[in-house]
Amino acid sequence: MSAENPLEVLLVDDDPDFLGMLGDLLEAEGHRVHRAPDAHAALTVVRAHRVEVAFLDVRMPGVNGVELLRLLRREAPALSVVMMTGYSLPDLVAQAWQEGALAILPKPLPLPRVVGFLARFRENPRLLVVDDDPAFCEFLSEALGGAASQIVTTGDPQQALRLAAQGEYDLVFLDLKLPRITGFELLDALKQVKPQLTVVLVTAYSQELGPVIRQERVQSQILYCFPKPVDLVAIRALLLRVATRRHMEALGVI
């Protein structure tokens, strides 16, 4: 993490030794760490700083971690919250998931996962756009530029296969009308090259191709299908879901 633009991290735990240990570790990784022993101190920090990630202990005296999560959501709706617990507290854990916790980690924490998660926290999804319409590729690149760390575009199916094989993409946008090969054929080929690829279909022929798109074989290989003109709000929401899933994978939740 750049020292010029460190990640703002909040740690909330009533155990000062734990706060000191974890805070020192994360500061050594280049993050700006705010330590809070209780809910009041945590809310004071969030109101004064642009905290991006918070780690909350579930079991604390007074206001517990789940109650604090609710309060933090009101102050900073975009805050990513990771819960921590050294106890078996199924009711509180279930409430934390319902309130939108990104993950619930056991104590002692899996520190290498926490460090890796924070190191990649600001990375936006990497996209591959396969469409033979240069205007659409340019439009999507400009519209999603701030929401993606990398956008690679191509209208050539063979180049798309090479890019997918050689690169690491979080999402592939695939047009169904391509030269020399259908999007469905390229979808099959992409999945053979890299089965774990997450593919989203885009098409201006959703009514015409709807019966094929709805086939179980196709549905099992794609995440979604967007009709053209695409809904940018829905696509940005999808990118957020992809980023959240990647964060959860980094923490070992899924």
Side-chain angles (χ1 to χ4, degrees):
M1 188 63 60
S2 169
E4 297 178 357
N5 189 24
L7 191 67
E8 299 266 356
V9 181
L10 169 63
L11 307 180
V12 187
D13 199 298
D14 60 319
D15 180 346
D17 292 334
F18 177 81
L19 277 184
M21 178 277 296
L22 184 56
D24 290 348
L25 171 66
L26 299 185
E27 284 174 341
E29 292 293 324
H31 307 301
R32 181 176 291 131
V33 178
H34 306 276
R35 300 166 176 84
D38 54 38
H40 176 74
L43 289 167
T44 300
V45 169
V46 168
R47 289 165 183 158
H49 301 275
R50 297 185 64 180
V51 177
E52 296 166 79
V53 187
F55 291 82
L56 314 182
D57 189 27
V58 172
R59 182 176 176 178
M60 295 188 294
V63 178
N64 66 43
V66 177
E67 293 168 334
L68 176 57
L69 171 56
R70 295 191 188 103
L71 295 172
L72 291 174
R73 280 277 178 257
R74 297 173 192 167
E75 298 287 340
L79 179 65
S80 293
V81 177
V82 177
M83 308 299 293
M84 312 174 292
T85 182
Y87 301 90
S88 177
L89 302 167
D91 291 341
L92 284 177
V93 166
Q95 291 175 39
W97 284 123
Q98 292 171 2
E99 294 295 332
L102 186 62
I104 299 165
L105 299 181
K107 288 182 175 180
L109 295 183
L111 294 177
R113 288 189 178 276
V114 171
V115 169
F117 157 67
L118 292 176
R120 297 189 60 189
F121 182 78
R122 284 185 179 151
E123 290 184 12
N124 287 326
R126 295 153 295 186
L127 312 181
L128 173 61
V129 181
V130 185
D131 197 303
D132 63 329
D133 181 356
F136 176 78
C137 290
E138 182 179 359
F139 161 75
L140 203 61
S141 297
E142 291 179 355
L144 300 180
S149 62
Q150 179 187 28
I151 301 178
V152 177
T153 65
T154 181
D156 184 326
Q158 292 304 316
Q159 185 182 31
L161 286 171
R162 289 194 296 272
L163 288 167
Q166 297 167 4
E168 293 295 331
Y169 298 98
D170 297 294
L171 210 56
V172 177
F173 286 88
L174 173 60
D175 188 38
L176 287 177
K177 291 281 188 177
L178 296 169
R180 302 185 302 278
I181 185 174
T182 71
F184 296 112
E185 292 170 328
L186 183 54
L187 172 63
D188 289 336
L190 286 168
K191 286 293 187 174
Q192 289 178 8
V193 167
K194 191 167 287 187
Q196 71 271 27
L197 274 179
T198 302
V199 179
V200 172
L201 302 181
V202 290
T203 181
Y205 305 92
S206 55
Q207 289 186 337
E208 173 187 339
L209 299 174
V212 183
I213 295 170
R214 289 190 290 271
Q215 289 180 3
E216 184 177 348
R217 181 185 65 81
V218 175
Q219 287 293 310
S220 67
Q221 297 188 87
I222 68 171
L223 180 62
Y224 200 77
C225 179
F226 285 103
K228 291 182 178 179
V230 295
D231 182 341
L232 289 176
V233 173
I235 287 181
R236 290 193 183 99
L238 180 64
L239 295 186
L240 181 60
R241 282 172 50 200
V242 169
T244 299
R245 181 178 178 85
R246 188 172 65 186
H247 293 332
M248 295 175 74
E249 288 174 344
L251 287 168
V253 178
I254 55 177

